[in-house]
Amino acid sequence: MTKCKCVDWIALVFFLFIAVSCSESNSKRPREIIVGGDNVVMILDFDNSADSVKKVNWYLKTSEVTNMPDTMIRHMRTVDDHKSVDNHTKILICSSSGGTLLVDRATRKCLFYAITPNAHSVEYLPGNRIAVALSTADKGNRLEIYDAGRSNTVLFSDSLYSGHGVTWMAGRNLLYALGYDELRAYSLVDWDTPNPGLQLEEKWTLPETGGHDLYASSENQLLITTSKKVWKFDLNSNAFEPFAPLANEPDVKSVYYDEKADHLIYTKGEISWWTHNIYSINPTKQITIPEIDVYKVRVIK
């Protein structure tokens, strides 16, 4: 009996040691941010980048992606959105030059491509599906759905004037899409079939026009940037309110906010629609990237 208890205590101590070690390892893992501009996507170690000093963990020119048609190069000249997906093994990229790619992070090979006129935002959905928001262009002004296994094949589309933002909220099982003057919520329809679709569940008129970026800061709140400021949208009360830290900041092109840590990262149009600066609050710092015209920054969580 005593021997069994001793073994149990040894096992418990070993388990706690492993748990603490894993926790410390995770807490020390460098936070990464994805930055896009021109035809470049780079991943930076956020904690070890400041001012003009950057620690680059990954760098890609869209013209150097392998395993994609050469004709796609001209459709990826101006990167608009970029997200780390599928357990951070792949990078989803879209361009206002008219293309969308899914790239393997390790090999830089193209896994999926599509011609998507003036694409401004992209999102990875359950079942390896991809949503793309298209802004104003011939064959644009739409929300489109693709399957990652079927390049350049639209499975579903809906009209969305000046499509600029799209984000999936797993906790609500809804896809949110942002246009020029409205926010929409879609549910997934026939998702396990070869012909999936979306069902419009709700839509809301924005408090001002120029909808640009859309970010879920929690399961109950979306952040929305417009031409003149940044708004928060409460998904329980369906109410818009100015987002205090950036309530009077115009031309915000991308926003990230960690409510628990009160950590804010954003970019804004300072030289026409682009900038060379990434701004962070709590911790407060600025990362300067003079070599590309930066549009958006995303955080790998």
Side-chain angles (χ1 to χ4, degrees):
M1 185 75 173
T2 304
K3 184 177 180 180
C4 290
K5 287 185 177 181
C6 181
V7 171
D8 288 344
W9 273 108
I10 292 173
L12 178 60
V13 170
F14 179 76
F15 173 79
L16 292 174
F17 173 78
I18 294 296
V20 171
S21 297
C22 290
S23 176
E24 289 180 352
S25 176
N26 289 336
S27 67
K28 292 177 181 178
R29 186 184 67 183
R31 287 177 293 177
E32 293 183 315
I33 59 174
I34 313 180
V35 184
D38 299 330
N39 69 335
V40 170
V41 178
M42 65 175 75
I43 297 178
L44 304 182
D45 179 331
F46 175 78
D47 292 328
N48 292 295
S49 298
D51 301 320
S52 60
V53 177
K54 304 183 297 296
K55 183 178 180 184
V56 180
N57 290 347
W58 193 81
Y59 186 95
L60 176 74
K61 283 188 175 181
T62 56
S63 58
E64 297 174 351
V65 173
T66 60
N67 200 41
M68 76 174 183
D70 291 341
T71 53
M72 282 300 297
I73 293 175
R74 65 186 177 91
H75 292 296
M76 299 301 302
R77 290 181 287 109
T78 49
V79 170
D80 270 72
D81 203 1
H82 33 80
K83 295 175 180 177
S84 178
V85 301
D86 202 6
N87 200 29
H88 307 310
T89 61
K90 302 167 187 173
I91 307 296
L92 198 51
I93 307 167
C94 73
S95 167
S96 58
S97 299
T100 296
L101 300 178
L102 181 64
V103 179
D104 183 87
R105 177 168 174 172
T107 65
R108 293 174 170 77
K109 286 184 178 180
C110 175
L111 304 173
F112 164 90
Y113 68 88
I115 296 174
T116 50
N118 204 5
H120 265 68
S121 188
V122 64
E123 182 70 302
Y124 206 55
L125 301 177
N128 298 319
R129 301 271 163 72
I130 296 170
V132 188
L134 315 181
S135 188
T136 52
D138 182 29
K139 298 183 180 179
N141 295 313
R142 307 196 69 74
L143 174 64
E144 295 184 338
I145 300 298
Y146 294 84
D147 190 293
R150 299 168 63 186
S151 287
N152 213 27
T153 303
V154 179
L155 302 181
F156 173 88
S157 70
D158 192 13
S159 61
L160 177 66
Y161 180 68
S162 189
H164 262 71
V166 62
T167 190
W168 168 250
M169 297 193 71
R172 292 176 177 268
N173 209 33
L174 291 171
L175 177 67
Y176 289 85
L178 180 68
Y180 177 73
D181 60 1
E182 69 176 349
L183 172 69
R184 297 180 183 177
Y186 291 89
S187 60
L188 309 182
V189 178
D190 298 327
W191 210 248
D192 295 327
T193 74
N195 299 299
L198 299 175
Q199 172 69 45
L200 180 63
E201 298 293 343
E202 287 188 86
K203 61 180 178 179
W204 304 270
T205 300
L206 301 182
E208 62 182 7
T209 58
H212 195 281
D213 196 29
L214 180 66
Y215 177 74
S217 60
S218 73
E219 284 298 322
N220 299 310
Q221 180 173 280
L222 291 170
L223 296 184
I224 297 168
T225 76
T226 57
S227 299
K228 297 180 180 179
K229 62 180 67 176
V230 180
W231 300 83
K232 59 183 181 180
F233 181 67
D234 189 308
L235 292 165
N236 292 326
S237 65
N238 294 335
F240 292 95
E241 291 183 15
F243 177 60
L246 298 173
N248 298 307
E249 193 71 60
D251 298 320
V252 172
K253 301 303 181 182
S254 64
V255 63
Y256 160 86
Y257 183 58
D258 182 334
E259 292 186 8
K260 293 181 179 179
D262 193 28
H263 182 200
L264 174 66
I265 300 178
Y266 66 99
T267 59
K268 57 183 179 179
E270 296 175 300
I271 312 167
S272 186
W273 49 264
W274 69 87
T275 181
H276 294 301
N277 302 305
I278 298 167
Y279 297 99
S280 170
I281 297 175
N282 196 25
T284 298
K285 67 177 175 178
Q286 177 178 320
I287 302 172
T288 302
I289 306 177
E291 64 267 31
I292 64 171
D293 295 336
V294 175
Y295 192 51
K296 290 180 182 175
V297 59
R298 299 298 187 198
V299 174
I300 298 180
K301 297 182 286 183

